[in-house]
Amino acid sequence: MEKATALDSSAITGEARAVLYKLRILYLFTGLAGGMFNPYLTTLFVHQGMSSSSVGIMMAVGTLLSILVQPLWGLMVDRFRQTKLVLVLSIAVPSILAYFYSVKLFAIMVLVYTISIIFQVTQSPIADSYAVSAARHARTSYGTIRSLGSLGTALGGYAGGLYLSHFAITQLWMPFFLFSAAGAITVLSLSNQNDSYKSAVSLSEGFKKLLSNRDFVIFLVACFFVNQTLTAYNSFFVLSFQEAGGSYSLVGVALLLASMTNVPSMLLAAKVVGKIGREKTLVLAAFAYALRWAIQWLYPIPSVMIGIQALHGLSFGLFYVAAVEYVAVASGKQMQATGQSLFNMVFVGLGGIVGNLLNGYLYHAGGPEMMYMACTLSALIGVVMLYWVNKRTALSA
């Protein structure tokens, strides 16, 4: 009997390792696909005849739409356990539709972008909920899976530039489709073990339960204050770098450095979380955000702005891994996708919309200095709120 139990345990471990390997491959393929395609999407729209203002409005509406549809996808997964189906659709549908961006019709591009957003928005929270569960079964960390996505994104961004030096931007859909197809096939090879139970928790009940947890609500608000500052990097870094006297070639170096630092940061996240806890890790990472913006505010020098990108991994990479794991614990087994969707609505959705609007206004009104000063203060507010959550957790332990 003991021998049979040992064999069963070995089989489970082997199966868990296989799932872990496949998820890492999935994150690598989707990272490559997104890294090659997403940074150049705005340029593609402008190339196809859309004005920059029209593109901005369309993407803002797309972000708002993503906030509205995320909880519905989360409900579908949590209630009907269709994790694999939703993951396949979130990868396959946008990759197939990407071909139609080469059709030079405004209505077609808007329709394709809207449908793609509806499906693509669920990819990250659903994949994350799947990855957290798989990491626990394999007795490893979520960061060891997510780091492959950052590696893929970094390599994809560089490969996208090389590809466009030889092919027209309207042909960019081809590598995006190929890497996405590889990712979808990887999902299909996964077992259905995570789809074996159903949750009786409705969308309203799930949200009510999560939002009745005061610590979780404060955590979400802190995430908003921290991550809205990231738009200073995503949307305005190139402009501020050039204003400081930096060149386009050095911009590429800075962006590559920032992306690559996510890999070791996410790989080491489990050790950091295991040593000091999720809450303290969030405080540390939020402080790294504040330090990052403060240095760029006080020392607007190209060489300093390049070097400080090394803090991207310690800020975003470490924060994201710890936050996803915090949400997984707070949500419980039956509300994994709903919890991750709610987190993404605040962290990516609201943070992205408000951050772009606020930092765009601040940049216009007072230049990079005012923007980075405000980002420093916003991140410090997040530090204080997360410290409060940490103290509450320590007292209740």
Side-chain angles (χ1 to χ4, degrees):
M1 179 69 72
E2 291 180 0
K3 184 178 291 185
T5 303
L7 288 173
D8 289 343
S9 177
S10 176
I12 291 172
T13 301
E15 183 179 355
R17 287 177 178 173
V19 172
L20 199 66
Y21 173 77
K22 291 175 181 177
L23 283 172
R24 286 170 176 162
I25 294 298
L26 167 65
Y27 272 81
L28 179 62
F29 280 141
T30 54
L32 284 166
M36 287 194 74
F37 192 74
N38 294 335
Y40 304 100
L41 189 56
T42 300
T43 307
L44 173 59
F45 287 139
V46 173
H47 178 272
Q48 292 296 83
M50 294 181 67
S51 66
S52 57
S53 60
S54 296
V55 173
I57 293 172
M58 183 177 69
M59 289 189 165
V61 172
T63 304
L64 179 61
L65 182 62
S66 71
I67 295 175
L68 299 176
V69 301
Q70 270 196 26
L72 300 179
W73 282 116
L75 173 65
M76 179 182 293
V77 173
D78 283 336
R79 194 169 182 82
F80 303 107
R81 306 315 304 165
Q82 294 299 322
T83 308
K84 191 159 74 170
L85 173 62
V86 171
L87 259 181
V88 170
L89 290 175
S90 70
I91 298 169
V93 172
S95 67
I96 293 171
L97 291 178
Y99 164 78
F100 294 97
Y101 287 133
S102 60
V103 178
K104 210 167 184 177
L105 288 175
F106 179 83
I108 293 294
M109 288 189 288
V110 171
L111 179 63
V112 168
Y113 181 77
T114 302
I115 297 174
S116 295
I117 283 292
I118 290 174
F119 282 90
Q120 197 169 30
V121 70
T122 189
Q123 182 180 316
S124 179
I126 303 305
D128 285 345
S129 65
Y130 212 128
V132 168
S133 176
R136 286 177 178 170
H137 281 92
R139 297 180 181 179
T140 186
S141 72
Y142 160 77
T144 63
I145 302 174
R146 180 61 177 79
S147 62
L148 270 295
S150 293
L151 177 61
T153 300
L155 295 177
Y158 180 72
L162 292 179
Y163 181 87
L164 291 177
S165 67
H166 295 89
F167 299 94
I169 195 169
T170 52
Q171 300 301 311
L172 193 57
W173 67 270
M174 288 192 287
F176 176 63
F177 173 79
L178 291 175
F179 283 123
S180 296
I185 292 170
T186 304
V187 174
L188 290 173
S189 71
L190 293 170
S191 67
N192 290 319
Q193 60 181 356
N194 283 4
D195 296 344
S196 58
Y197 69 89
K198 291 186 178 182
S199 168
V201 180
S202 68
L203 179 64
S204 58
E205 290 172 343
F207 270 43
K208 184 178 180 181
K209 184 174 181 180
L210 289 171
L211 295 177
S212 65
N213 182 338
R214 184 168 62 171
D215 290 347
F216 187 74
V217 172
I218 294 174
F219 158 79
L220 287 178
V221 176
C223 286
F224 168 79
F225 275 105
V226 170
N227 200 60
Q228 71 86 14
T229 68
L230 194 60
T231 57
Y233 167 74
N234 291 335
S235 302
F236 302 104
F237 174 74
V238 175
L239 290 174
S240 63
F241 187 74
Q242 287 183 301
E243 187 167 321
S247 65
Y248 272 120
S249 60
L250 290 177
V251 166
V253 174
L255 296 179
L256 181 61
L257 175 62
S259 296
M260 291 303 294
T261 57
N262 269 336
V263 178
S265 178
M266 289 183 172
L267 287 173
L268 294 173
K271 291 185 178 180
V272 177
V273 170
K275 189 170 184 178
I276 67 176
R278 285 181 297 271
E279 293 79 9
K280 287 183 179 178
T281 302
L282 288 168
V283 173
L284 173 65
F287 183 76
Y289 268 101
L291 180 63
R292 178 182 181 181
W293 309 134
I295 292 174
Q296 292 186 90
W297 162 36
L298 298 172
Y299 301 98
I301 304 168
S303 59
V304 174
M305 295 175 75
I306 292 174
I308 205 62
Q309 298 313 309
L311 282 177
H312 184 71
L314 186 58
S315 53
F316 172 76
L318 194 60
F319 191 97
Y320 189 78
V321 171
V324 166
E325 294 190 357
Y326 180 92
V327 173
V329 173
S331 301
K333 186 179 179 181
Q334 292 189 331
M335 295 188 297
Q336 281 294 298
T338 299
Q340 297 296 345
S341 293
L342 181 58
F343 166 65
N344 269 268
M345 287 168 63
V346 175
F347 190 72
V348 179
L350 289 175
I353 291 175
V354 175
N356 276 311
L357 292 173
L358 176 61
N359 289 318
Y361 169 77
L362 292 172
Y363 191 100
H364 177 75
E369 291 79 11
M370 180 179 287
M371 178 183 71
Y372 286 128
M373 180 185 68
C375 286
T376 303
L377 295 175
S378 182
L380 286 174
I381 292 173
V383 170
V384 173
M385 298 181 77
L386 289 168
Y387 180 77
W388 189 88
V389 172
N390 175 61
K391 294 294 287 184
R392 289 264 302 172
T393 303
L395 290 173
S396 61

